[in-house]
Amino acid sequence: MSTLSQSGNATQVNGAPLTTTVTNSVGTLLSAEIDKRVTKIRPMATPVDQLSRCGDIRHAGSMKVQYYTADVKEVSTNISSDYTGSDYQALPNGDQSSGQLTLHVDNPAIFSVSETILMPEVTINKAPLMLYLTKVDVDSISGIVVNEIKNAGTTFNMGVKTGRKVVRMGRAAGELDVQTPQFETIPKRSENYCQIFKMQVEESAIHRLANKEAQWGFSDQEEVAIIDMRQGMEKNFIFGRKAIITNGTTPDEIYITGGIWNQDGLQEYKYEKESFTETNLIEICRKVFTGGKGSARKILMGGSEFIEMLSNLPYQKVVNGADSVTRWGLEFREIKSNFGTLYVIHNEIFDQCGHEKSAMVIDPNMLTKYVHIPFSTQKLDLRSAGTRNTDAVVITEASCLVLRNPACHMRIEAE
C-alpha cells in the first residue's frame, strides 16, 4: 500500500511508482501541460481559441478585466469646407510670414503648432502645397505657405475643396528654440468579462467495465467534450455580447464575455458580393496595413462564402495567393500583397453564427487572452457522495479575449 509524506517543499511517494494519478492528487505539477495538449485537439475547428493559447496570455485577478488601448496618432485628415478666402499672393522669398492660410479640417486635434503639413491634391507651381502651422483652433488650422515662389506678386487660386487630404508631417524648429508643443498619449481604458466555461463528462462503472466493439474509453469522451467546449468558447470569443446576468433562481452573477467582433474601434470594410474583385482585396490590404497599424503579417478568417470569393479571384502579380503555411498549429493560405501578408483560413464558427459572407482581419501580436481560471480538470467523487456510481470529470476555464490597438484589426461585411 502506497503512502504519501510531506518533507519541506516536496512530497514523497512510498511503496508505489509515481503515476499521474498520484501527482494530480498532491498538486498541479502537470497542469502547465494541459493547455499544450488542448491545442492539439482539432485546432482548425477553433482558430481564434487556438491563437489565444499560443499567443499573449495574462493572468486576470478578477472576472472583470480592465485593459488599456492606445492607437498611433492619425497621420492625415480632410478639408471640411471649401476655402473661401482670397487667392494667395506670393511674397518675396524669405518673407512669407504674412502669407498665411486658414483651412477648416475634420480633425484639427491631430495637429500642433510648428508642424508642417502637406496637401498632395493642391498645387502651387506644380508642387504640392505645404504649410508651416502657426495656429490650431477647434475646427481649423492656420499656417504659412512654404512652397518656393519664383515670382513675387503672383496670384494663385488655391483650389482647396472639401474632402482634400491634409497630411501631418514633421516639426520644424528655429535655431534658438528650446521647447516645442508637448505631445502625450493617454490610453483608453476598456473592460471585458471572463466567462466561466464548463463541461462535465461521466461514465458509469458498469459501462467502463463492459466489453465494447470499438476502443472507446473515458479519455476519448474527454477529448470529444473538449472539442465541443472549445467550439462554444470560439463562438463567445468572436461574437459574444458582454453582460452580467442572474438566472432568477440564485443571486449568483453570471459573467458573459464580449466577443472581439463587437469590440469598439475596429476598422470596417463593406463590399458588394456580386462585384468582389482583386481590387477589393488590394483595398483591404491597403487599409489594414497602412497608417502604422500593427505588423506586416495578419490573419484573415471568414465564413465559407467569403473564403469562396477569395479562392475564385484571378490573382495577378500584385497579389500572390498560391502558398500554404502552417503557423500556431493551423494551416493557412498565404496571400502576399505589396502592403503586407494575409494568412487566410476558413472559420466554420462564422457560418454557424450567420456570418457566411463576413470576415475578420486580426493582428496576432495584438490579441491578448486574460485567464482567471486556467484550463483544468477536476475529478468528482460522486460515488462517495452517494450521488451516482460514475466516474466524473469537470473541465473548467474562465477567460476572455481582447484586441489591443483596435485599429490594427478589421471587420469585413457584405452590404
Side-chain angles (χ1 to χ4, degrees):
M1 180 179 180
S2 63
T3 59
L4 302 178
S5 60
Q6 189 74 28
S7 176
N9 294 323
T11 299
Q12 283 77 40
V13 181
N14 306 299
L18 182 64
T19 64
T20 56
T21 302
V22 174
T23 302
N24 288 330
S25 70
V26 298
T28 56
L29 179 63
L30 301 181
S31 63
E33 298 297 322
I34 289 179
D35 222 39
K36 294 181 181 179
R37 292 200 298 269
V38 171
T39 61
K40 297 178 182 179
I41 300 177
R42 283 194 64 190
M44 295 295 290
T46 53
V48 171
D49 181 64
Q50 181 76 6
L51 284 170
S52 70
R53 296 182 187 279
C54 298
D56 183 13
I57 300 177
R58 303 183 185 183
H59 172 70
S62 168
M63 290 290 287
K64 293 182 179 180
V65 172
Q66 292 185 337
Y67 60 99
Y68 290 85
T69 60
D71 294 334
V72 296
K73 196 174 183 180
E74 291 292 332
V75 298
S76 66
T77 186
N78 295 319
I79 296 294
S80 59
S81 61
D82 293 353
Y83 175 72
T84 56
S86 58
D87 292 343
Y88 175 72
Q89 184 173 10
L91 302 176
N93 288 339
D95 185 20
Q96 301 289 82
S97 58
S98 60
Q100 296 195 35
L101 297 175
T102 297
L103 307 174
H104 292 271
V105 295
D106 290 333
N107 187 13
I110 68 173
F111 300 108
S112 298
V113 172
S114 79
E115 284 183 330
T116 53
I117 67 168
L118 184 72
M119 300 189 63
E121 300 165 312
V122 180
T123 59
I124 289 183
N125 283 343
K126 299 181 179 180
L129 174 63
M130 189 171 179
L131 301 180
Y132 171 83
L133 293 186
T134 57
K135 186 178 181 181
V136 177
D137 287 325
V138 292
D139 63 348
S140 65
I141 55 176
S142 300
I144 301 169
V145 177
V146 298
N147 292 62
E148 181 182 1
I149 306 298
K150 296 181 179 179
N151 300 313
T154 302
T155 299
F156 295 95
N157 186 329
M158 300 309 299
V160 179
K161 302 293 185 181
T162 302
R164 296 284 172 85
K165 180 180 288 189
V166 184
V167 181
R168 183 171 59 87
M169 301 181 72
R171 297 178 185 269
E175 182 178 353
L176 301 181
D177 288 343
V178 175
Q179 293 183 316
T180 185
Q182 298 88 351
F183 170 68
E184 295 84 23
T185 297
I186 300 176
K188 177 184 177 182
R189 187 172 70 177
S190 301
E191 185 179 66
N192 201 357
Y193 302 146
C194 288
Q195 182 171 329
I196 302 176
F197 300 95
K198 279 185 176 289
M199 179 67 71
Q200 184 165 326
V201 183
E202 287 190 45
E203 183 182 32
S204 72
I206 301 300
H207 184 273
R208 175 169 53 84
L209 296 173
N211 293 329
K212 305 175 183 65
E213 291 185 6
Q215 294 299 316
W216 187 262
F218 193 71
S219 60
D220 300 299
Q221 298 282 5
E222 287 182 297
E223 182 173 334
V224 172
I226 289 173
I227 292 172
D228 186 70
M229 180 178 175
R230 290 187 71 185
Q231 287 182 325
M233 294 171 71
E234 182 90 352
K235 295 169 190 174
N236 282 98
F237 284 159
I238 301 176
F239 298 113
R241 290 286 181 179
K242 185 181 71 172
I244 302 177
I245 63 173
T246 58
N247 62 12
T249 58
T250 67
D252 293 341
E253 292 181 329
I254 300 172
Y255 288 78
I256 301 175
T257 191
I260 58 176
W261 178 270
N262 301 312
Q263 290 188 19
D264 296 332
L266 274 67
Q267 296 188 79
E268 294 185 346
Y269 184 85
K270 302 286 187 179
Y271 71 91
E272 296 181 4
K273 182 179 181 300
E274 288 71 21
S275 59
F276 190 91
T277 65
E278 187 183 11
T279 301
N280 295 95
L281 179 57
I282 295 173
E283 287 178 353
I284 290 172
C285 292
R286 178 183 65 83
K287 191 172 181 180
V288 81
F289 284 114
T290 58
K293 296 167 183 170
S295 63
R297 295 178 180 270
K298 299 187 179 184
I299 295 168
L300 186 153
M301 59 184 65
S304 57
E305 291 192 35
F306 186 86
I307 299 301
E308 181 182 17
M309 287 190 306
L310 286 187
S311 302
N312 289 330
L313 291 181
Y315 298 105
Q316 306 298 325
K317 291 182 179 180
V318 290
V319 176
N320 185 335
D323 298 330
S324 294
V325 296
T326 301
R327 299 282 190 279
W328 308 285
L330 301 167
E331 184 176 345
F332 299 93
R333 180 182 178 188
E334 189 177 52
I335 294 181
K336 297 179 180 178
S337 74
N338 292 333
F339 299 104
T341 299
L342 290 175
Y343 293 143
V344 179
I345 189 171
H346 171 232
N347 190 334
E348 61 189 56
I349 299 304
F350 276 68
D351 291 20
Q352 295 173 16
C353 294
H355 286 270
E356 300 91 341
K357 303 175 184 177
S358 303
M360 189 172 192
V361 178
I362 296 174
D363 187 339
N365 294 327
M366 298 295 174
L367 175 68
T368 298
K369 181 176 185 178
Y370 285 93
V371 178
H372 185 54
I373 301 174
F375 196 98
S376 58
T377 60
Q378 179 184 4
K379 294 182 179 180
L380 302 181
D381 192 354
L382 300 181
R383 231 180 254 107
S384 299
T387 305
R388 284 185 297 276
N389 185 22
T390 61
D391 296 319
V393 169
V394 173
I395 306 166
T396 305
E397 178 176 295
S399 59
C400 66
L401 298 186
V402 301
L403 297 175
R404 304 193 320 275
N405 292 27
C408 296
H409 316 273
M410 177 186 287
R411 278 188 297 260
I412 303 173
E413 296 180 277
E415 291 183 326

